[in-house]
Amino acid sequence: MTHVADRWGMNPAYFWMWDRRPDNPVKVDDNGVFHVYGYAECVEVYGDPKTYSSNIEALFFGEAEEGEALSEGALSAADPPKHTKMRKLVSRAFTPRMVAGLEPQITKITHELLDAAADKDRLDLIEDLAYPMPLIVIAEMLGVPHSDRGLFKEWVDKIVTAAGEVTVESTDKQRTDEDVAAAMGQVPEMMNYLREHIAERRRKPREDLFTKLVEAEIDGFRLSEAAIAVFARELLMAGHLTTSATLGNTLLCLDAHPEQMARLRANPDLAPGVIEESLRFLGPFVASIRATVADTELAGVKIPKGRLVRLWLSAANRDERQFERPHVFDPDRDPNPHLGFGRGIHFCIGAPLARLEGRIGTNVLLERFPKVRTDPDNPHEFTAMEEVLLASKLPLLVN
């Protein structure tokens, strides 16, 4: 019998995400890294930022001087109280209402991208839709010129490549400062570009996200230019990766479960449930990382201060203690408290956008192509990134 991970071309290290689970919910490896596989244990870590810090850079390189950290201003790498203040400010600008208002534009962009690929014998879901669509949407949200979309793609490509080669656990490998900086999203030309646009919005406000971020204020506190640039960078990276992976992984789930694809074709209103179950069953984020800032204990395992803790979200989303029939793809699952977007104070701020883009992209694809299936003679491929399950190539037969 072919294992589902074999069928989808997974790294054998990911097999346990489906039905080959570890013996314990928390284990330590030979390098002293603690791996968390259980749902309740992941939720516990997410709920205790005082013990489990998001500032991984400080663990490896020490506390940096103000303004010198590679992750300076990044929501994903900040702990309270700084994170609390920054998130409130960003939330003033990046609202669910604003995201919901993007639906007509996202639909238009999706159709335009599929129009451009209409004359091909086959469709590559990643190249033709899942990769460019979120980049275009985010660029338009920020208010950057259409002519600069190619620059955004170049920068994101560079960061993704670097992130696949430089991991937080590879401290013994030869890496240049430039490699590490790129892996953390610090591409100088991109950051300079973003800062120039931010400075311009201070002089000449517009109706775009850059302007909203510049104008956001709470009790006299505003986001710095550096913080806005870093948030825009995170939005580009996380927004692109999350949506690309969600679209690709949803199609893989539907392809492996044709009865569910038929149901969705017959009733597009089922799309939200399909997206949520795809986020659980084959979520975009395989793992999340924290660093302990105090001695602690998790599931009976003692974890010293200053250790790396890797939360295997895809394993937690298959935990039999939390989900009935966890290895069954069931879009009717209710409730579905998956960890596809994390949990707690660091719950993905772009989740509403990723859900919206995933729903629109999936429904438009099925609407336009009566027959969509993976190509058995041209298998898909996944990226080499450890934390993200993202197809880099997903050829489809559409007729």
Side-chain angles (χ1 to χ4, degrees):
M1 177 179 177
T2 301
H3 194 273
V4 67
D6 298 324
R7 176 179 177 181
W8 283 342
M10 300 296 170
N11 184 317
Y14 294 158
F15 281 0
W16 49 259
M17 293 195 307
W18 283 266
D19 55 13
R20 303 176 189 174
R21 298 188 57 79
D23 298 330
N24 301 302
V26 180
K27 300 181 75 171
V28 60
D29 65 22
D30 294 339
N31 295 318
V33 177
F34 288 80
H35 299 270
V36 183
Y37 304 116
Y39 181 94
E41 290 73 23
C42 284
V43 170
E44 183 175 342
V45 172
Y46 275 134
D48 187 8
K50 291 183 178 179
T51 302
Y52 301 95
S53 171
S54 298
N55 189 0
I56 309 303
E57 183 183 351
L59 174 64
F60 286 97
F61 306 110
E63 292 289 347
E65 295 294 329
E66 186 71 23
E68 293 185 0
L70 291 173
S71 58
E72 184 71 28
L75 270 177
S76 60
D79 295 322
K82 178 187 286 187
H83 174 273
T84 306
K85 186 178 291 186
M86 288 175 57
R87 176 123 184 173
K88 284 182 179 179
L89 275 170
V90 169
S91 296
R92 289 282 179 93
F94 194 71
T95 64
R97 180 179 180 182
M98 180 203 71
V99 171
L102 294 171
E103 182 162 356
Q105 187 63 8
I106 295 172
T107 302
K108 178 175 178 288
I109 291 169
T110 301
H111 278 290
E112 288 175 349
L113 289 170
L114 292 177
D115 285 344
D119 59 346
K120 294 184 178 181
D121 293 334
R122 60 170 54 86
L123 180 76
D124 188 309
L125 183 63
I126 306 304
E127 177 184 341
D128 296 324
L129 179 62
Y131 195 104
M133 185 257 272
L135 285 179
I136 294 171
V137 170
I138 293 167
E140 293 198 352
M141 286 174 59
L142 293 172
V144 302
H146 289 195
S147 58
D148 291 348
R149 290 175 180 174
L151 292 174
F152 277 49
K153 183 180 186 303
E154 289 179 16
W155 295 329
V156 171
D157 286 347
K158 184 174 183 179
I159 294 169
V160 170
T161 299
E165 297 174 351
V166 177
T167 73
V168 295
E169 294 168 330
S170 61
T171 54
D172 59 331
K173 296 181 180 179
Q174 292 295 319
R175 305 174 304 180
T176 66
D177 290 342
E178 184 178 348
D179 290 336
V180 176
M184 300 185 72
Q186 289 283 11
V187 178
E189 56 268 33
M190 178 178 72
M191 301 308 291
N192 290 337
Y193 177 94
L194 295 173
R195 283 192 286 266
E196 287 174 3
H197 273 276
I198 294 162
E200 196 270 341
R201 295 310 188 280
R202 291 193 188 280
R203 297 190 301 269
K204 297 179 180 179
R206 302 181 191 175
E207 288 297 321
D208 57 29
L209 183 57
F210 267 139
T211 300
K212 288 183 172 65
L213 290 168
V214 166
E215 295 177 345
E217 179 181 347
I218 295 179
D219 298 329
F221 178 76
R222 292 175 180 263
L223 291 167
S224 68
E225 183 178 293
I228 296 173
V230 170
F231 175 73
R233 180 199 72 196
E234 286 195 309
L235 187 60
L236 273 171
M237 285 305 303
H240 154 254
L241 291 176
T242 302
T243 299
S244 293
T246 298
L247 269 172
N249 295 356
T250 297
L251 194 283
L252 286 172
C253 288
L254 292 173
D255 182 69
H257 302 86
E259 74 286 356
Q260 297 296 348
M261 184 182 289
R263 288 185 69 213
L264 182 57
R265 283 189 182 280
N267 184 3
D269 290 341
L270 296 176
V274 170
I275 297 298
E276 292 306 306
E277 181 66 347
S278 297
L279 288 164
R280 183 195 72 84
F281 194 77
L282 199 64
F285 291 108
V286 175
S288 181
I289 303 173
R290 295 292 186 269
T292 53
V293 294
D295 293 344
T296 188
E297 184 174 313
L298 186 65
V301 178
K302 295 185 182 299
I303 308 177
K305 175 183 178 180
R307 293 299 181 89
L308 192 69
V309 178
R310 187 183 290 273
L311 310 179
W312 289 100
L313 306 182
S314 291
N317 283 335
R318 300 297 186 94
D319 192 335
E320 296 89 345
R321 298 174 301 169
Q322 177 65 34
F323 300 97
E324 293 185 10
R325 303 184 304 150
H327 306 300
V328 174
F329 180 73
D330 180 12
D332 295 325
R333 191 180 296 276
D334 185 23
N336 190 355
H338 62 78
L339 300 179
F341 290 124
R343 181 66 64 88
I345 64 170
H346 283 283
F347 181 81
C348 179
I349 197 169
L353 178 60
R355 284 170 164 143
L356 179 63
E357 291 174 320
R359 172 174 64 80
I360 293 172
T362 301
N363 274 343
V364 170
L365 183 73
L366 297 187
E367 171 194 326
R368 292 186 54 139
F369 300 105
K371 296 181 180 179
V372 175
R373 58 200 183 282
T374 55
D375 184 352
D377 298 323
N378 193 7
H380 58 274
E381 301 172 0
F382 283 89
T383 66
M385 294 177 68
E386 292 185 358
E387 272 69 56
V388 179
L389 191 61
L390 169 67
S392 56
K393 173 185 173 185
L394 211 173
L396 301 177
L397 299 175
V398 293
N399 51 46

